[in-house]
Amino acid sequence: MPESWVDSAERIGLDLHLALAGPGSRQAALTRALREAVSDGRLAPGTRLPPYRSLAADLGIARNTVASAYAELVAEGRFTARQGSGTRVADRAAPPKPVRVPVKAPARRPGPLHDLRQGQPDAASFPRTDWLAAARRAVGSAPNEAFGPGDPQGRTELRQALAAYLARVRGVRTLPDRIVICSGFAHALRLLFGGAGGSGRGVLRGPLAVEAYGLGFHRELLAQAGVTGVPLTVDERGARIEELADHRAVRAALLTPAHQFPTGGPLHSDRRAAAVDWARSRGGLLLEDDYDGEFRYDREPVGAVQGLDPERVVHLGSVSKSLSPALRLGWMVLPEHLVDRVLAVKGEREAWAGTLDQLTLAELITSGRYDRHVRRMRQRYRHRRDRLVAALAEHAPHIRVTGIAAGLHAVLRLPAGTEAAALKAAAWQGLALDGLGAFRHPQAAGPAPDGLVVGYATPPDHAYGAALEALCRALPPA
């Protein structure tokens, strides 16, 4: 039986693409093709050439034709042939190195010396060893069908792990069939309001009540989907739920009940109950953004609002704070009547959340390593927060710090009219951080207090002390 191309390639361990074209015999064409492969660098010095018979089988030519071409190139000094080591590209056959002309790099604006912006976990603390171990176990035990097209609802293994984890840690009441995996909170908003690919055919319609403070990126995303945001006043007890009664057209509200973003503090228990009552009376929905619910320090854990009424609350979470935003993994815990509608918008195949990452996260959770990582990071972030509070108490005791019982950031309350000057002073110190005003809804009513939103998770340990010193120098005097 004639030898196949696959058999030949497997034996010699080298694939070699040669186009035998041009005038003359097959030997002349092969010699010319080999010479060009050496000259243009495709065959590097020291590369071992396929045996005569293997290359002849691949190209469909006679063995003697290959032998003659090799011999000619050996005579030219491009190839070397030694007993026991085969034919190789000669060292001196390397093409001349191109002359590099120095090009002046365009001037780059230097980045900040210190980064105290909110929203980023400590990247250096990603559990690389645990993640790699979980990936090995997950891939090794995964069924064959896991390596086919992704299920838009998400892998069963991850949905089962999340249902158990969220029930135990956050008080969420759900079943795996009620969970849809997505690539994060923004992706969830797009599916609920904007549709797949921003088609505008999302699941929900109409105006949406939002907290007067939140991420501008989320407001822009909703605006692009044609959703009008109706701001609710935020005070020390969270969003003022009673204001929902003034907006008859509103049927859904987006809240951060565990830790209001960015002002801090949980939604008061009376307001949590009032929000659920409002959703029931209106036939509406609450969207619960549980963005950093695992990280609490000086108070008892606050359970998810979803546990009060699973059919009136969409619980939204991700691993962007607990692990890394690079993973692009999040989830929606949906009322039963929304599951099929969300999946219809998402499409027939998973386009965002990778299957292997889903399997790895499921293994990380079920093995208990995810819990251990969160507990470890909780202690680490609490120590960071305590250093921030201590530095302010020593160098700026007139500055009040709020929102520090949970999360990865704090709010520094400034004297009226000083926020802009403090941000400018911070920039002079090489310090990146956000002003409280940047998170305020443009249509929010009432006074706009001055403040700084300080993220204490991002800087590396060795630079954190210098970042705090720069912060204290930027603050307005008493």
Side-chain angles (χ1 to χ4, degrees), residues 194-256:
S199 64
R201 298 189 299 273
V203 175
L204 304 180
R205 297 283 193 275
L208 174 71
V210 297
E211 293 166 333
Y213 285 87
L215 276 177
F217 169 67
H218 294 161
R219 289 195 294 268
E220 292 171 4
L221 189 154
L222 292 167
Q224 291 170 4
V227 177
T228 301
V230 178
L232 303 175
T233 304
V234 172
D235 59 24
E236 68 279 358
R237 302 174 72 190
R240 297 184 58 179
I241 302 301
E242 66 271 18
E243 294 179 2
L244 288 168
D246 300 332
H247 305 284
R248 302 300 301 177
V250 172
R251 292 289 184 275
L254 172 59
L255 305 173
T256 52

Side-chain angles (χ1 to χ4, degrees), residues 10 12 19 51 94 106 113 127 137 166 177 189 193 215 223 235 242 250 257 308 332 369 389 391 393 442 446 457 467:
E10 285 295 326
I12 66 174
L113 295 175
R137 289 192 298 269
L166 294 173
D177 289 345
L189 279 189
F193 291 97
L215 276 177
D235 59 24
E242 66 271 18
V250 172
L308 301 178
M332 293 181 277
R369 292 173 184 267
V389 172

Side-chain angles (χ1 to χ4, degrees), residues 368-384:
R369 292 173 184 267
Y370 183 77
D371 283 78
R372 290 196 290 274
H373 171 72
V374 169
R375 288 197 298 271
R376 184 166 59 248
M377 297 312 298
R378 192 180 295 142
Q379 293 300 318
R380 188 180 186 87
Y381 292 144
R382 177 171 185 159
H383 179 66
R384 289 283 190 94

Side-chain angles (χ1 to χ4, degrees), residues 5 8 13 60 68 186 277 350 442 468:
W5 180 91
S8 173
S68 298
D277 290 342
E350 174 57 62
L468 293 182

Side-chain angles (χ1 to χ4, degrees), residues 88-386:
R88 297 177 182 272
V89 179
D91 289 341
R92 61 180 176 275
K97 295 183 179 180
V99 177
R100 296 186 178 274
V101 178
V103 178
K104 185 178 180 180
R108 286 190 175 185
R109 186 175 182 179
L113 295 175
H114 310 290
D115 191 351
L116 290 179
R117 287 171 292 193
Q118 60 75 38
Q120 297 288 339
D122 179 8
S125 295
F126 182 81
R128 300 174 192 230
T129 301
D130 286 346
W131 184 264
L132 289 172
R136 284 194 295 269
R137 289 192 298 269
V139 172
S141 61
N144 292 337
E145 52 88 14
F147 301 95
D151 181 348
Q153 188 162 3
R155 288 298 305 177
T156 301
E157 297 90 338
L158 180 55
R159 290 187 284 112
Q160 290 174 340
L162 284 171
Y165 174 81
L166 294 173
R168 172 170 53 85
V169 175
R170 305 294 299 122
V172 169
R173 295 190 289 146
T174 192
L175 298 170
D177 289 345
R178 304 281 187 89
I179 297 176
V180 173
I181 303 301
C182 56
S183 68
F185 179 77
H187 186 208
L189 279 189
R190 288 188 175 98
L191 293 172
L192 291 171
F193 291 97
S199 64
R201 298 189 299 273
V203 175
L204 304 180
R205 297 283 193 275
L208 174 71
V210 297
E211 293 166 333
Y213 285 87
L215 276 177
F217 169 67
H218 294 161
R219 289 195 294 268
E220 292 171 4
L221 189 154
L222 292 167
Q224 291 170 4
V227 177
T228 301
V230 178
L232 303 175
T233 304
V234 172
D235 59 24
E236 68 279 358
R237 302 174 72 190
R240 297 184 58 179
I241 302 301
E242 66 271 18
E243 294 179 2
L244 288 168
D246 300 332
H247 305 284
R248 302 300 301 177
V250 172
R251 292 289 184 275
L254 172 59
L255 305 173
T256 52
H259 185 225
Q260 202 289 319
F261 180 83
T263 62
L267 185 65
H268 192 275
S269 58
D270 291 344
R271 294 184 180 180
R272 293 159 66 92
V276 172
D277 290 342
W278 170 84
R280 289 169 177 167
S281 66
R282 289 282 180 89
L285 282 172
L286 299 176
L287 308 181
E288 179 178 24
D289 181 4
D290 198 35
Y291 67 100
D292 64 358
E294 295 100 336
F295 298 114
R296 75 277 178 184
Y297 312 118
D298 300 326
R299 59 171 169 79
E300 292 297 316
V302 177
V305 172
Q306 189 269 359
L308 301 178
D309 193 337
E311 294 305 314
R312 290 296 169 195
V313 182
V314 176
H315 183 83
L316 305 168
S318 77
V319 297
S320 64
K321 301 294 187 296
S322 59
L323 286 173
S324 168
L327 291 177
R328 309 310 306 150
L329 280 177
W331 51 85
M332 293 181 277
V333 180
L334 297 164
E336 184 177 14
H337 69 280
L338 286 183
V339 175
D340 289 341
R341 294 169 63 187
V342 169
L343 291 177
V345 170
K346 201 173 183 195
E348 295 182 0
R349 295 185 178 183
E350 174 57 62
W352 296 94
T355 296
L356 299 185
D357 282 347
Q358 293 183 51
L359 292 171
T360 302
L361 179 58
E363 171 64 29
L364 199 70
I365 293 173
T366 55
S367 68
R369 292 173 184 267
Y370 183 77
D371 283 78
R372 290 196 290 274
H373 171 72
V374 169
R375 288 197 298 271
R376 184 166 59 248
M377 297 312 298
R378 192 180 295 142
Q379 293 300 318
R380 188 180 186 87
Y381 292 144
R382 177 171 185 159
H383 179 66
R384 289 283 190 94
R385 182 212 62 175
D386 290 347

